Structures are given as structure tokens and as C-alpha cells.
Amino acid sequence: MDSIIIAAATSLELSLLVRSIGAREVRRKKGFRDTYRGKVGGTTVLLAVTGIGKANTASALTALLERYTPRLLIDTGCAGAYGGSGLAVGDLAVASTEVYGDEGILTPAGWESLELIGIPQLERGGRRFFNEFPLALLPAERAVQLGAALGVPVRRGRFVTVSTCSGTAARGGEMARRFNAICENMEGAVAAHLALRYGIDCLELRGISNMVEDRDLSGWNIPLAVERAQRFILKFLETCNDD
């Protein structure tokens, strides 16, 4: 089956896509959560609501990837942008690399990655992966090029996946500097990790819902962020179908 899987933590982050392609709910199977199936041209699109966080995402995507072999996994939703990233609320960002921001060791000298322990999370093709997982280059480049063609700025850079969201400007600055990253989320590194494990290309595209600063919900706009991300993915799917 020629298919693409699109995953997000919440139904809000997929609802526009579900409606737009006329997707129907898939009868639940063991390990599946809310999953929908539709078509864009000749391509079957599976849309999966994974639940928030790393554990939910890992279990949902593993269940799907054990059953299906898509040509592309797209992880989407919203993200918080770090100061100095050049991003603003409503902008779109594409991951070049995903980083597990919390896994590691807190030493007297500061935080150290899993490399200090020496046990990788994944070994593939002679490489050992500890905290950082690269995403496929071609889908990311295609998204950036599509953004340019549509007049929609799409910024590509390193993302951080966290368990505890950064709710202060100081913490955001620390994470941005530590990982040379542009934004953070709570699921993306899992998608990149599992895509690499299963040998599947992965694209992560998120809408910026807020700046990472001293927490102030008045400046947030989650509906705008997830709507723009989903509308862009619709265009992306159409271009994929033109191949």
C-alpha cells in the first residue's frame, strides 16, 4: 500500500486534515488510538492521534509501523520557539535533527548526554544514536521549497523534545544554547527515532504556538499554529501526489 502516516499528539492538530481529505475512522486494533484513513490522489493517508508525550507517541507509532510500511512519516502539531530563533507565533518550522533534551545525566559540572553513559538508544548502519536523531533531508528540503513557492516562510533547524516544557525565558535560553535549537515540543524525537529504526523517511513540521519565555498564555495562539501547519501539509500532500 502506497501510504503516508501523519501523527500528532491531539485531535485538534489533525482535525482539519481529517475533514479536508474526508478521512474515516479506522476500527480500533490493539495498540491503536484514534486513527483515520483517507486518500489524496492515489496515496492512502493514515492520520494518528498519538496522545501527548514520548510514551504515548512511542506506543502509538510502534503499533502503526509494525502494521504499515509508509513511504513517509509526518509528525506535526505545535511547538514553542526559542528567543533568537527568528520564529514568531504562527510561523512554520521543519526539523533537521531531533534531540532528546532530558535524557542524560546531571553532573556537578552540568548536564551531559547519554554518550556519557555509553549506551546508545539505537544502533543502525554502524552508527550509534544517543540523544540526536537526524530526519530525512529530501522531504525537509521539499517543504522549505514549497514554502518559498507559496510565499510561506518555513524555517529549518534543530528541534528539542522535552518532558518538562520550558516555562521561563532563562530555561528556554539554556536549551537553545545547549542544543543549538530553534524550538521545542514533546513528541518529535520519538517519531524521528522510530522512523530511523524502521527505515522510513520522516518529516517533522510544526506551527509555532508560543515563544518560550516567562510563561504568559496571553501571547499564545495554538489554533493559528495548528491550522497553518495542517493547511501547509495539505499542499505538501498534493505535491507528493504529483510525483
Side-chain angles (χ1 to χ4, degrees):
M1 178 176 66
D2 181 24
S3 63
I4 292 174
I5 293 177
I6 305 175
T10 68
S11 58
L12 178 65
E13 293 165 316
L14 289 179
S15 57
L16 187 152
L17 282 165
V18 170
R19 294 194 307 271
S20 297
I21 69 171
R24 302 292 183 185
E25 189 167 9
V26 176
R27 185 170 62 86
R28 293 195 181 198
K29 300 180 183 297
K30 188 175 182 180
F32 282 31
R33 292 180 173 81
D34 296 337
T35 307
Y36 303 83
R37 179 186 285 112
K39 279 207 167 187
V40 176
T43 302
T44 297
V45 180
L46 295 165
L47 302 113
V49 180
T50 63
I52 192 172
K54 290 178 281 194
N56 282 326
T57 302
S59 62
L61 288 183
T62 297
L64 285 166
L65 295 176
E66 284 291 319
R67 182 175 177 84
Y68 302 105
T69 305
R71 61 180 160 104
L72 181 65
L73 168 63
I74 301 176
D75 188 58
T76 190
C78 58
Y82 295 130
S85 64
L87 291 164
V89 172
D91 287 351
L92 300 179
V94 167
S96 57
T97 300
E98 261 287 3
V99 182
Y100 284 103
D102 296 312
E103 281 73 4
I105 308 163
L106 190 59
T107 75
W111 182 88
E112 297 284 351
S113 77
L114 290 173
E115 279 193 85
L116 189 63
I117 299 176
I119 303 173
Q121 296 202 65
L122 177 67
E123 295 188 54
R124 186 173 178 86
R127 294 181 63 189
R128 307 171 84 206
F129 298 89
F130 294 90
N131 286 66
E132 298 190 9
F133 289 79
L135 285 89
L137 178 61
L138 290 180
E141 288 187 335
R142 187 168 191 165
V144 172
Q145 291 166 4
L146 177 61
L150 296 173
V152 177
V154 179
R155 182 168 176 78
R156 183 167 177 258
R158 291 162 59 86
F159 288 17
V160 181
T161 295
V162 295
S163 296
T164 301
C165 294
S166 302
T168 68
R171 176 62 171 173
E174 176 187 347
M175 299 297 276
R177 290 188 297 273
R178 176 181 295 163
F179 300 113
N180 189 27
I182 61 173
C183 64
E184 67 177 44
N185 67 93
M186 299 183 75
E187 300 85 20
V190 174
H193 182 166
L194 289 177
L196 192 59
R197 178 180 292 278
Y198 284 90
I200 295 163
D201 282 353
C202 183
L203 169 70
E204 183 178 5
L205 183 140
R206 291 179 178 268
I208 300 303
S209 57
N210 61 283
M211 303 305 296
V212 177
E213 56 192 1
D214 291 351
R215 192 170 173 85
D216 178 9
L217 297 182
S218 69
W220 290 39
N221 197 333
I222 292 175
L224 175 67
V226 301
E227 178 183 346
R228 286 187 174 174
Q230 289 175 87
R231 291 196 184 281
F232 187 87
I233 289 172
L234 277 173
K235 292 292 187 182
F236 184 87
L237 293 174
E238 291 168 4
T239 67
C240 288
N241 195 57
D242 290 340
D243 290 344

